[in-house]
Amino acid sequence: MTPEERTRLESIDRVLRSDTVREQIRPIIERVRAELARKNEALMTWEPIPLTVFGRALPREIQSAWVFVLRAGADTGEERHPNSHQRMMTFQGSGDMQTGEPAQWQSNALVSDPEAPLERRWISIPPNVWHRPVVGANADWTVVSFHTVAAEELIEERPASRSKDGTKQMKYLEQK
């Protein structure tokens, strides 16, 4: 992690540690959790967080924020974001955000312990880097994710053998 990226993550981390911000995020988390509980077949559920929740405290390049709840025991498969740099923090629970390529995944075990070092709570994933969340069997994993594109523009790209370029693209807000 570069010193600049570390500074950026520390800045976002301070914002997320604010009691005021956490109080505003909590109802979103509860809605997303309830949605996952209703959708037995879903591996994860999500909802964007209005940027107004954070005031003017986020770095300028952050254009959207999200809550994701990933089901205990889930491996949601590999994905990447060709149009966004993703910065993700473990809010509750723990998981392994693997990065790299199939058969060459690098483990990034993340925890929600506020006393853990930044690198154990956060991950920074540049555009076009494949990543794959793997959740332990004991509990769902709640994360807060920040992207450098607006919510309606965030593209998820997944492998697709039937596609001419070998991938399939969707926008998160169109998947609901």
Side-chain angles (χ1 to χ4, degrees):
M1 178 182 313
T2 67
E4 295 84 7
E5 186 62 13
R6 180 173 193 76
T7 299
R8 187 174 291 110
L9 292 180
E10 288 171 343
S11 168
I12 301 169
D13 191 60
R14 278 191 299 278
V15 174
L16 274 178
R17 286 178 182 253
S18 153
D19 289 338
T20 305
V21 168
R22 285 183 172 262
E23 286 173 23
Q24 293 181 70
I25 291 174
R26 219 166 285 292
I28 299 169
I29 290 171
E30 293 310 315
R31 275 196 307 273
V32 176
R33 273 195 192 137
E35 183 180 359
L36 185 63
R38 283 191 309 275
K39 294 181 172 181
N40 293 331
E41 75 291 344
L43 295 177
M44 66 179 168
T45 51
W46 60 88
E47 182 178 320
I49 303 170
L51 290 180
T52 55
V53 165
F54 306 101
R56 298 179 192 263
L58 291 176
R60 274 195 307 250
E61 69 267 16
I62 301 299
Q63 297 296 307
S64 63
W66 303 75
V67 167
F68 286 84
V69 178
L70 299 102
R71 189 175 305 283
D75 176 344
T76 66
E78 58 260 32
E79 66 176 76
R80 66 183 177 186
H81 306 290
N83 66 338
S84 181
H85 190 125
Q86 178 179 4
R87 293 164 177 102
M88 189 195 84
M89 186 268 262
T90 296
F91 197 84
Q92 292 174 325
S94 62
D96 184 4
M97 182 57 87
Q98 299 177 1
T99 56
E101 298 286 331
Q104 296 180 348
W105 293 110
Q106 177 183 338
S107 180
N108 298 281
L110 301 173
V111 298
S112 59
D113 177 0
E115 301 305 315
L118 187 81
E119 296 83 1
R120 294 276 293 132
R121 296 179 291 116
W122 282 87
I123 188 167
S124 178
I125 306 169
N128 282 314
V129 171
W130 289 104
H131 53 281
R132 166 184 162 202
V134 179
V135 187
N138 296 335
D140 294 342
W141 187 21
T142 302
V143 302
V144 177
S145 185
F146 296 88
H147 284 272
T148 56
V149 295
E152 59 276 359
E153 297 301 318
L154 181 58
I155 294 172
E156 170 192 88
E157 190 170 70
R158 291 190 175 263
S161 59
R162 287 181 271 182
S163 169
K164 67 179 177 175
D165 62 358
T167 62
K168 175 183 174 185
Q169 289 188 349
M170 295 179 75
K171 291 185 178 175
Y172 268 101
L173 290 181
E174 293 173 358
Q175 293 183 44
K176 285 275 186 179

